[in-house]
């Protein structure tokens, strides 16, 4: 029986700098939708729990509203998985740039919405954009991580710190530093997102779009550097596929 394996359009692991930028955006987006509309953009677990609470209280309309961003998140996963299909990748040469560019455009569009725009016009596109990021970026240097949730990263940072202290393992020390950095970045992003949303309203999400634009430029630069190295060493085995 074949096991179900989630595919990816990302062919390389993130550097620590890129991982920090992405997790900061993750924290920002969750704070943005929660402060503005009491909905989580990333943490669908939270939305599902609130859906259960609203259902148990027979608040049917409120419960239904919780399902919409969850559905948008699922659609984002399907869209990203579609980009990763071999038949699509033959047509789309740079799927990573397409995905990250789509996230930037979506967040910029949300930033242009007027004050008082319906909650669903904000939360649904942001949940969709967050899903693209979740599905695309999943490896930090040499270990799996999440750009949208702190729980798993916090667990890895804590375990690695323990192994470093008890076993004096240098690789554990590196993991502790890397994952500690992305947890701090997520917290910083959430704080900045809350402050900006309280003061700027819907346009605040343009800040997240700007950080993602910086990330995209960094990834393009990284790809060009790798392509130059590959051109100088054409016989080198195992060359990375361009992003």
């Amino acid at each position: 029986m074949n096991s179900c394996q989630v595919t990816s359009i990302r062919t390389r692991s993130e550097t620590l700098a890129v991982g920090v930028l992405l997790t900061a955006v993750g924290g920002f987006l969750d704070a943005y939708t929660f402060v503005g509309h009491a909905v989580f953009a990333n943490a669908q677990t939270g939305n599902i729990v609130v859906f259960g609470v609203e259902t148990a209280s027979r608040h049917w309309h409120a419960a239904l509203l919780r399902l919409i961003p969850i559905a948008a998140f699922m659609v984002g996963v399907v869209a990203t998985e579609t980009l990763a299909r071999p038949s699509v990748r033959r047509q789309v040469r740079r799927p990573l740039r397409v995905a990250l560019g789509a996230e930037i455009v979506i967040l910029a569009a949300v930033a242009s919405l007027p004050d008082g725009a319906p909650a669903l016009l904000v939360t649904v596109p942001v949940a969709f954009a967050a899903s693209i990021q979740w599905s695309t970026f999943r490896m930090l240097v040499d270990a799996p991580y999440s750009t949208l949730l702190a729980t798993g990263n916090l667990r890895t940072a804590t375990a690695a710190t323990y192994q470093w202290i008890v076993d004096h393992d240098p690789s554990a020390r590196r993991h502790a530093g890397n994952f500690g950095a992305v947890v701090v970045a997520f917290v910083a992003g959430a704080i900045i997102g809350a402050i900006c949303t309280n003061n700027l309203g819907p346009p605040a999400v343009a800040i997240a779009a700007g950080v993602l634009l910086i990330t995209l430029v960094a990834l393009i630069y990284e790809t060009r550097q790798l392509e130059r190295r590959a051109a100088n060493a054409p016989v080198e085995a195992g060359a990375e596929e361009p992003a």
Side-chain angles (χ1 to χ4, degrees), residues 25 28-29 100 103-109 111 204-216:
V25 169
F28 189 106
L29 293 181
L100 195 52
E103 185 180 2
I104 293 168
V105 169
I106 290 168
L107 295 183
V205 79
I207 295 170
V211 174
L212 288 175
L213 182 59
I214 293 170
T215 304
L216 178 58

Side-chain angles (χ1 to χ4, degrees), residues 37 113-119 202:
H37 302 285
L113 293 173
D115 287 337

Side-chain angles (χ1 to χ4, degrees), residues 18-28 133 145-149 153 181-187 189-190:
V18 169
V20 163
L21 289 175
L22 290 169
T23 50
V25 169
F28 189 106
Q133 182 172 313
Y145 81 128
S146 170
T147 65
L148 299 188
L149 293 176
N153 298 336
V182 295
V183 169
V184 170
F186 189 92
V187 174

Side-chain angles (χ1 to χ4, degrees), residues 134-218:
W134 175 290
S135 302
T136 303
F137 301 98
R138 301 202 296 266
M139 289 292 294
L140 177 66
V141 185
D142 59 355
Y145 81 128
S146 170
T147 65
L148 299 188
L149 293 176
T151 305
N153 298 336
L154 183 61
R155 184 263 168 204
T156 302
T158 304
T161 301
Y162 175 81
Q163 292 163 8
W164 167 37
I165 294 172
V166 174
D167 301 328
H168 307 288
D169 183 350
S171 64
R173 177 182 180 180
R174 185 178 66 254
H175 284 144
N178 289 346
F179 280 85
V182 295
V183 169
V184 170
F186 189 92
V187 174
I191 293 171
I192 295 169
I195 293 171
C196 292
T197 304
N198 277 325
N199 287 278
L200 301 176
V205 79
I207 295 170
V211 174
L212 288 175
L213 182 59
I214 293 170
T215 304
L216 178 58
V217 171

